[in-house]
């Protein structure tokens, strides 16, 4: 049975022999790392299929000056504050903006005749959130966590599909608190059983399992990477409900945006087959059927679900739900894709929920092929993400995902489908004639990689309600750091230290949330693959540390003495992690200079955390925490301010300045 071919741009890669491709630099992308001391990650398939080089990625953040080890509660999660309301999508007021930065190897953007790249590409940003649990790492199959072991989560397939308890037992035995988890176990178990989309172009690749959605042209053997569904990973927009919420699609050409906007799960319902366990056992989390006819034959009900930001249980009728609530949000009454209920094998009933905003679509920024560097404008490739607003005011635990999808121009990636498989426009390692007395040469082509998806994901983070004192209309800019310990060769394909963004531009009265995270185990030791191992830098080996002090101008490598600091004159504090009130400009300066080791200047204001009371900070602040929980400042005095980090200031390109 031939299914409808879904138009996708996420199926390809220009270079068959590539070894590294998409790395998220801010927030810090994991590339499946946890807290290894080695330059190479230990488990390439721990959470997801990145297709990247083993050397990429950043370790999970440490909360203190000691490595978290097996204690996930000692890991640091970046904490961002949510936007005001979605009215802020059309005006700056109320937005919380996080600059997502990345590097992609094979190039993208700028495919005009006057500036051809000769490749089709797009970049997809998505996130997934759930209510934050008070337990840092619950032993279940649904809670997002980094884990404390570099081992992959277990999975065992059960042939019987009749008894719910058998699935519960298997889920509980497969999932462990010490293993990292992004996608829920139930969605992967469904993926192993659901029929794959047989309308897709598979070229000359023969699927090891001809029926399951775990088998794709890029993953013909159905290899497992955490609990990620390979078919969902390789194609966008996906035709099945998904736990991921779209942020943006950076397209090859803006002419594709109308299609992406219409087909995003944010905007339109997606169907799946719902079957029931025997003996009133509740909703099955899986079905082999992937279309209405097959679903009816399996005695299931083809059901269309909608993507939701979160439930709105306070509205109990359709009329109350869809009334104008004067908060800028879009409410809908229908069937939300509620993964919590699916994980509990409960039926989903009509309810009121908040829709996510439409996916943002624009042309992909230009980047040079075979170059993990800045874009055409000389800064890191980036996208400003307006963080969501959750009307429940619940703290959320989230994960961020970026995918890079690139296709060769040797065939049409939009109009080539399964009907072309028999006479594929690309063949595996074909012989080509070069016109020299019948001489043939073998051309290196891997049809699994002529059409390829690369990916990176960050470590878990939280999105919290705005604190008291920060209004619903305040505009918040996040100022973070990127890079890890080591010189340019030792860190590659990560980067050396810098602020992110490196040149933030804000309006008078805006808030800037300054926060960063670092690891105590970025030793970049053996095994190091083809790269140079080591962790060149200052202070205790393997440790990331940052601070922020004003300097006179970007040419200077010395900070200003505190009596000449003007950056914090007229600044008011919107929020500070310590909760201390009435911070002066000098207090703010010392907090940022000491990376939060000191909380103020004098004991009368912050007790044992004051400069004149607390044990002295080591001059390379080896005794300071790796991560800084942050301070939010409102800048009221217009001007241009320069700042630097005193430790990461070697006279090379490791100079960390903003």
């Amino acid at each position: 049975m031939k299914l409808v071919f879904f138009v996708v741009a996420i199926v390809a890669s220009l270079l068959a022999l590539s070894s590294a491709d998409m790395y998220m630099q801010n927030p810090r992308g994991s590339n499946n790392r946890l807290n290894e001391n080695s330059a190479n990650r230990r488990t390439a398939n721990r959470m997801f299929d990145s297709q990247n080089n083993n050397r990429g990625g950043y370790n999970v953040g440490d909360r203190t000056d000691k490595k978290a080890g097996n204690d996930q509660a000692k890991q640091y999660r970046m904490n961002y504050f949510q936007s005001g309301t979605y009215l802020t999508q059309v005006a700056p007021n109320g937005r919380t903006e996080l600059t997502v930065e990345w590097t992609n190897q094979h190039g993208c953007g700028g495919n005009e005749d006057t500036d051809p790249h000769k490749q089709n590409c797009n970049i997809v940003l998505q996130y997934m959130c759930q209510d934050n649990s008070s337990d840092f790492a619950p032993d279940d199959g649904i809670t997002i966590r980094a884990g404390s072991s570099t081992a992959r989560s277990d999975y065992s397939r059960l042939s019987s599909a009749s008894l719910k308890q058998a699935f519960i037992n298997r889920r509980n035995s497969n999932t462990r608190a010490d293993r990292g988890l992004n996608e829920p176990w139930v969605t992967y178990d469904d993926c192993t059983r659901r029929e794959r989309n047989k309308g897709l172009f598979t070229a000359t690749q023969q699927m090891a399992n001809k029926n399951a959605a775990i088998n794709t042209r890029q993953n013909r053997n159905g290899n497992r990477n955490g609990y990620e569904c390979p078919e969902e990973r390789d194609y966008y927009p996906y035709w099945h409900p998904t736990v991921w919420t779209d942020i943006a699609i950076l397209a090859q050409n803006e002419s594709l945006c109308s299609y992406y906007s219409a087909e995003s799960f944010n905007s339109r319902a997606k169907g799946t087959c719902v079957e029931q366990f025997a003996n009133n056992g509740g909703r099955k989390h899986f079905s082999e059927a992937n279309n209405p006819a097959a679903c009816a034959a399996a005695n299931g009900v083809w059901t269309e679900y909608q993507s939701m930001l979160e439930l709105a249980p306070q509205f109990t009728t359709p009329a109350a739900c869809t009334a104008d609530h004067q908060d800028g949000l879009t409410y809908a009454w229908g069937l939300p894709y509620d993964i919590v209920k699916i994980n509990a094998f409960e039926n989903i009933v009509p309810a009121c929920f908040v829709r996510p905003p439409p996916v943002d679509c624009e042309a992909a920024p230009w980047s040079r092929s075979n170059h993990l560097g800045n874009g055409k404008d000389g800064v890191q490739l980036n996208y400003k993400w307006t963080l969501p607003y959750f009307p429940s005011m619940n703290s959320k635990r989230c994960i961020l995902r970026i995918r890079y999808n690139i296709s060769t121009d040797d065939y049409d990636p939009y109009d080539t489908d399964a009907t072309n498989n028999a006479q594929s426009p690309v063949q595996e390692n074909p012989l080509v004639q070069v016109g020299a007395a019948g001489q043939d040469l073998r051309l290196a082509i891997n049809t699994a990689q002529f059409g390829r998806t690369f990916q990176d994901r960050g470590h878990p983070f939280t999105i919290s309600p705005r604190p008291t004192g920060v209004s619903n209309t305040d505009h918040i800019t996040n100022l973070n750091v990127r890079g890890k310990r080591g010189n340019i060769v030792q860190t590659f394909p990560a980067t050396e230290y810098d602020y992110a963004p490196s040149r933030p531009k804000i309006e008078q009265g805006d808030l800037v949330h300054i926060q960063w995270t670092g690891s105590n185990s970025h030793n970049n030791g053996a095994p190091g693959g083809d790269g140079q191992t080591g962790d060149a830098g200052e202070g205790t080996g393997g440790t990331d540390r940052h601070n922020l002090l004003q300097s006179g101008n970007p040419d200077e490598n010395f900070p200003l003495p505190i009596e000449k600091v003007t950056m914090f004159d007229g600044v008011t504090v919107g929020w500070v992690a310590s909760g201390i009130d009435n911070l002066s400009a000098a207090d703010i300066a010392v907090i940022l200079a000491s990376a939060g080791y000191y909380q103020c200047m004098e004991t009368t204001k912050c007790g044992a955390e004051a400069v004149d009371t607390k044990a002295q900070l080591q001059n390379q602040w080896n005794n300071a925490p790796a991560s800084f929980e942050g301070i939010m400042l409102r800048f009221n005095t217009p001007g241009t301010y320069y700042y630097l980090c005193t430790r990461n200031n070697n006279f090379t390109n490791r100079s960390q300045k903003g």
Side-chain angles (χ1 to χ4, degrees):
M1 177 178 176
K2 181 182 180 297
L3 301 181
V4 174
F5 173 65
F6 294 85
V7 181
V8 289
I10 192 167
V11 295
S13 159
L14 181 63
L15 301 179
L17 299 179
S18 64
S19 60
D21 212 286
M22 165 57 77
Y23 299 99
M24 191 158 61
Q25 309 294 354
N26 187 65
R28 296 151 78 96
S30 72
N31 197 37
N32 274 313
R33 293 183 66 86
L34 179 62
N35 55 12
E36 300 93 312
N37 292 318
S38 57
N40 278 1
R41 61 188 174 188
R42 189 166 297 159
T43 309
N45 60 2
R46 188 174 76 95
M47 305 277 274
F48 58 95
D49 181 10
S50 74
Q51 294 284 303
N52 289 337
N53 189 295
N54 282 329
R55 284 183 59 91
Y58 298 88
N59 284 353
V60 67
D62 287 315
R63 182 172 293 279
T64 69
D65 60 342
K66 302 293 189 298
K67 181 179 176 181
N70 293 327
D71 188 350
Q72 292 186 66
K74 293 181 179 178
Q75 295 172 355
Y76 182 75
R77 292 179 179 163
M78 294 287 280
N79 178 53
Y80 308 104
F81 294 109
Q82 65 181 36
S83 288
T85 72
Y86 276 133
L87 290 171
T88 63
Q89 295 296 321
V90 294
N93 288 342
R95 292 188 182 190
T96 297
E97 291 184 331
L98 173 63
T99 302
V100 181
E101 299 184 339
W102 69 89
T103 50
N104 53 263
Q105 179 180 325
H106 298 316
C108 199
N111 206 18
E112 297 81 15
D113 290 340
T114 56
D115 188 14
H117 252 186
K118 294 305 176 189
Q119 61 213 15
N120 300 292
C121 68
N122 66 35
I123 294 170
V124 181
L125 288 94
Q126 297 172 304
Y127 73 101
M128 171 173 44
C129 285
Q130 57 192 215
D131 282 348
N132 197 17
S133 170
S134 58
D135 189 338
F136 212 81
D139 190 3
D140 63 20
I142 192 172
T143 301
I144 295 169
R145 51 188 179 267
S148 57
S149 167
T150 57
R152 180 182 59 165
S153 293
D154 295 330
Y155 179 76
S156 56
R157 182 175 173 126
L158 185 69
S159 58
S160 171
S162 58
L163 298 177
K164 179 174 71 173
Q165 191 59 46
F167 286 93
I168 294 174
N169 294 343
R170 189 161 55 91
R171 179 193 63 190
N172 294 347
S173 65
N174 287 171
T175 57
R176 295 169 38 175
D178 68 336
R179 305 294 170 85
L181 186 143
N182 287 174
E183 287 93 346
W185 179 92
V186 289
T187 59
Y188 181 75
D189 198 53
D190 175 36
C191 183
T192 66
R193 300 166 182 278
R194 190 172 65 249
E195 184 180 16
R196 68 180 178 87
N197 184 344
K198 294 181 179 177
L200 296 171
F201 175 58
T202 57
T204 60
Q205 298 297 310
Q206 300 298 313
M207 303 297 106
N209 181 336
K210 294 185 181 299
N211 290 320
I214 59 172
N215 301 92
T216 67
R217 178 158 57 93
Q218 186 169 295
N219 189 34
R220 60 177 297 275
N221 291 321
N223 296 327
R224 184 169 68 86
N225 296 268
Y227 294 139
E228 180 178 55
C229 180
E231 190 179 69
E232 184 275 335
R233 173 200 178 280
D234 288 358
Y235 296 93
Y236 180 87
Y238 196 44
W239 43 89
H240 188 273
T242 171
V243 293
W244 295 98
T245 300
D246 292 340
I247 300 170
I249 168 77
L250 309 180
Q252 173 198 353
N253 192 291
E254 286 188 357
S255 64
L256 297 167
C257 285
S258 59
Y259 168 77
Y260 287 132
S261 297
E263 293 299 319
S264 165
F265 191 32
N266 288 22
S267 300
R268 61 154 292 184
K270 307 282 182 172
T272 187
C273 187
V274 177
E275 301 181 39
Q276 299 291 320
F277 283 110
N279 302 321
N280 298 317
R283 182 195 192 280
K284 287 183 179 179
H285 60 284
F286 67 91
S287 174
E288 294 182 3
N290 72 351
N291 61 81
C295 183
N299 296 317
V301 178
W302 187 256
T303 307
E304 291 199 337
Y305 292 108
Q306 299 183 68
S307 177
M308 70 167 178
L309 191 70
E310 65 178 357
L311 292 169
Q314 67 272 30
F315 304 121
T316 57
T317 66
C321 177
T322 57
D324 186 356
H325 300 293
Q326 299 294 311
D327 60 3
L329 298 176
T330 301
Y331 293 82
W333 183 272
L335 295 175
Y337 188 63
D338 189 341
I339 193 61
V340 174
K341 286 196 170 185
I342 294 172
N343 187 63
F345 309 101
E346 296 177 5
N347 288 315
I348 297 174
V349 298
C352 186
F353 59 93
V354 182
R355 286 184 180 275
V359 62
D360 187 20
C361 183
E362 58 188 57
W366 187 93
S367 54
R368 173 181 155 193
S369 294
N370 298 320
H371 181 70
L372 283 166
N374 291 340
K376 185 176 286 186
D377 56 0
V379 300
Q380 194 91 71
L381 300 169
N382 67 86
Y383 173 84
K384 285 188 178 180
W385 177 24
T386 298
L387 297 184
Y389 164 68
F390 298 99
S392 68
M393 293 297 153
N394 292 338
S395 176
K396 301 290 182 177
R397 184 181 300 192
C398 308
I399 201 81
L400 178 64
R401 171 200 211 189
I402 187 168
R403 286 182 290 170
Y404 169 47
N405 320 290
I406 180 167
S407 168
T408 174
D409 267 346
D410 291 291
Y411 65 89
D412 187 338
Y414 300 100
D415 295 319
T416 304
D417 62 16
T419 60
N420 302 102
N421 287 338
Q423 294 181 321
S424 174
V426 288
Q427 297 290 322
E428 196 82 7
N429 296 325
L431 295 178
V432 294
Q433 294 183 356
V434 296
Q439 175 67 55
D440 291 338
L441 297 177
R442 180 171 135 165
L443 181 63
I445 290 180
N446 181 345
T447 58
Q449 297 182 350
F450 259 53
R452 196 170 179 188
T453 300
F454 299 86
Q455 178 184 192
D456 202 0
R457 298 184 186 180
H459 296 288
F461 60 93
T462 56
I463 300 180
S464 298
R466 293 188 163 199
T468 302
V470 177
S471 77
N472 197 46
T473 58
D474 277 325
H475 182 200
I476 302 173
T477 295
N478 281 280
L479 176 59
N480 311 129
V481 299
R482 69 166 181 264
K484 70 177 181 180
R485 176 67 175 260
N487 64 34
I488 192 170
V489 182
Q490 295 162 348
T491 63
F492 185 85
T495 68
E496 297 179 292
Y497 295 127
D498 203 352
Y499 295 101
S502 58
R503 294 177 178 86
K505 296 180 180 179
I506 62 171
E507 296 296 323
Q508 186 175 5
D510 283 357
L511 287 165
V512 179
H513 183 188
I514 304 171
Q515 177 191 197
W516 55 74
T517 187
S519 167
N520 292 310
S521 53
H522 271 154
N523 300 90
N524 307 321
D530 295 331
Q532 176 184 327
T533 58
D535 59 345
E538 305 298 324
T540 303
T543 63
D544 293 319
R545 296 292 185 272
H546 306 273
N547 67 353
L548 188 155
L549 293 90
Q550 186 178 356
S551 62
N553 64 67
D555 295 329
E556 294 180 0
N557 288 303
F558 291 86
L560 295 174
I562 194 166
E563 62 271 12
K564 292 188 177 182
V565 169
T566 59
M567 186 173 177
F568 308 115
D569 291 348
V571 163
T572 54
V573 178
W575 169 88
V576 62
S578 66
I580 299 169
D581 295 326
N582 302 317
L583 293 175
S584 66
D587 293 328
I588 296 168
V590 78
I591 289 171
L592 291 171
S594 68
Y597 181 82
Y598 298 121
Q599 296 296 336
C600 70
M601 294 289 289
E602 299 173 353
T603 305
T604 54
K605 186 175 290 185
C606 62
E609 300 300 316
V611 173
D612 59 2
T613 302
K614 194 170 186 177
Q616 188 172 9
L617 177 67
Q618 196 271 342
N619 59 24
Q620 292 180 309
W621 62 105
N622 291 325
N623 56 340
S627 300
F628 174 54
E629 292 187 67
I631 187 169
M632 199 184 308
L633 305 176
R634 189 186 307 277
F635 286 85
N636 300 306
T637 305
T640 301
Y641 302 98
Y642 304 100
Y643 44 91
L644 55 77
C645 173
T646 54
R647 186 163 107 159
N648 308 322
N649 193 49
N650 306 76
F651 188 62
T652 67
N653 58 346
R654 272 174 281 166
S655 181
Q656 182 178 346
K657 295 178 179 178

